[in-house]
Amino acid sequence: MMISKEDKERLIGQSEAADRDPQWPASSWSVLEKTGALRWSIPRAYGGDGLAPVDILIRTEELAASCLTTAFILSQREAGVRQLLKGPEHLQSRFLPALAQGNMFLTVGLSQLSTSRQHLGPSLRATPLESGGFQIDGEIPWVTGADAAAVIIIGATTSDSRQILVMLETNRPGVSIEPPLPLSALTGSRTSLVRCVQVEVPPEMLLAGPAESVLGKVGGGGLETSCLAIGLSAAAIEFIQQESVKRPDLAEIASKLDANRHELRQRLHLFATSPPRDSQEVLTLRADCTTLALRSTQTSLMIAKGGGFVAPHPAQRWARQALFFLVWSCPRPVVEGVLSELTT
């Protein structure tokens, strides 16, 4: 099911509250359930729609343009679904039907494997147990919707520097969820730090590994991070286009930004259908999408002038949310690419 105009308007109408209020955006999440978003990526065999990757990206971009907070929460759930689809069948049959029906919320805690705290060494350790399972100790610094999740797919590092993915049930002894972080944007995502103290995970909950780099070269973000950046850009560019009707001097600016957006979208969809051999191409795309998000949202704020700096004008929210892409799933090649653009 495509996202209806009515559902988009509901998401847009609730987007400021979802961004600022430290409450789970239940009303916006119910819109996702109504649109069928929770079934998009899940195979038909498990009760989902089994949509093609490009179709999912198109719909996800529309969600991000309407409410980035809600789209971000969904992206973390979808990151978990993607990892689950790579795992053993017994875990798929156990969890995918419930996810398709919206009967449980799944999220991920993977940033410590690729971006967060890399200069400090592993923040989450996995110790093998005689049972074949693992004892998990340490911190998971970034878990979106942690206190709403029944299960978190987490990544931990063994003593020989290999990595594993396991499905961590949040009600296990030794798991504690900190209060949500006071983020500068996307507050309704209720992103928290999760602590693990001698948490025993049984062998049947092992999803992947041990392996040298269990998430691959690109890391956990993939194309979906770029998709959300394009969606946020689309909202800002549409505002600039609307303003250009009254102010013709803005027409060329709007045209250039929109052309950039379309070019990035084409690359995104091409990679979804024909993955590039060189992972650097995916990272370059992510850097380019982040740069567009910064440029388009800051341009919209300048055009909106002082009124745009006052809540609830969307320009101030878009500008704050664009900063999120500077820290979310931002490995060194992406950082270098964005810094090159910003300092040229």
Side-chain angles (χ1 to χ4, degrees), residues 44-295:
R44 291 181 181 274
Y46 297 107
D49 294 337
L51 296 184
V54 170
D55 291 330
I56 295 174
L57 290 173
I58 291 171
R59 289 163 172 78
T60 301
E61 182 183 331
E62 291 182 339
L63 289 177
S66 302
C67 178
L68 186 65
T69 303
T70 309
F72 170 57
I73 295 172
L74 179 65
S75 77
Q76 299 307 280
R77 184 259 197 187
E78 291 300 285
V81 170
R82 287 195 300 277
Q83 295 300 333
L84 187 52
L85 288 171
K86 299 176 186 176
E89 199 282 331
H90 74 270
L91 289 176
Q92 295 180 26
S93 60
R94 177 177 173 181
F95 291 106
L96 289 175
L99 289 167
Q101 295 167 15
N103 293 336
M104 65 170 290
F105 179 68
L106 169 74
T107 189
V108 294
L110 302 173
S111 63
Q112 66 275 7
L113 294 185
S114 56
T115 53
S116 296
R117 305 187 180 184
Q118 291 300 291
H119 60 294
L120 299 175
S123 65
L124 195 66
R125 292 284 189 179
T127 303
L129 300 173
E130 291 185 2
S131 65
F134 289 87
Q135 177 178 301
I136 307 297
D137 292 277
E139 298 179 348
I140 312 167
W142 187 276
V143 183
T144 294
D147 56 5
V151 179
I152 307 171
I153 293 180
I154 65 170
T157 305
T158 61
S159 60
D160 59 359
S161 298
R162 293 188 296 168
Q163 299 174 345
I164 62 168
L165 298 184
V166 298
M167 301 195 70
L168 176 69
E169 295 165 301
T170 54
N171 61 0
R172 282 203 162 268
V175 177
S176 60
I177 300 172
E178 297 287 303
L181 298 166
L183 303 179
S184 297
L186 310 172
T187 306
S189 69
R190 295 187 65 81
T191 297
S192 306
L193 181 147
V194 176
R195 300 184 190 278
C196 294
V197 179
Q198 297 182 348
V199 178
E200 294 189 9
V201 177
E204 62 269 20
M205 300 298 275
L206 177 65
L207 191 61
E212 181 178 349
S213 182
V214 75
L215 295 177
K217 295 181 180 180
V218 176
L223 300 177
E224 291 68 28
T225 307
S226 298
C227 181
L228 264 62
I230 293 174
L232 177 63
S233 300
I237 292 170
E238 182 178 357
F239 169 76
I240 299 168
Q241 290 172 327
Q242 292 172 349
E243 290 296 303
S244 70
V245 175
K246 298 175 290 185
R247 300 166 55 184
D249 58 304
L250 299 177
E252 184 177 356
I253 295 173
S255 178
K256 287 182 178 179
L257 289 170
D258 198 38
N260 190 189
R261 176 173 67 100
H262 281 286
E263 185 269 330
L264 293 176
R265 179 192 288 151
Q266 288 177 348
R267 285 164 59 190
L268 178 72
H269 293 180
L270 176 62
F271 289 170
T273 54
S274 302
R277 295 182 179 179
D278 185 357
S279 60
Q280 180 61 43
E281 294 185 56
V282 175
L283 297 175
T284 299
L285 173 63
R286 195 183 307 173
D288 292 344
C289 290
T290 298
T291 301
L292 176 63
L294 293 169
R295 287 175 173 168

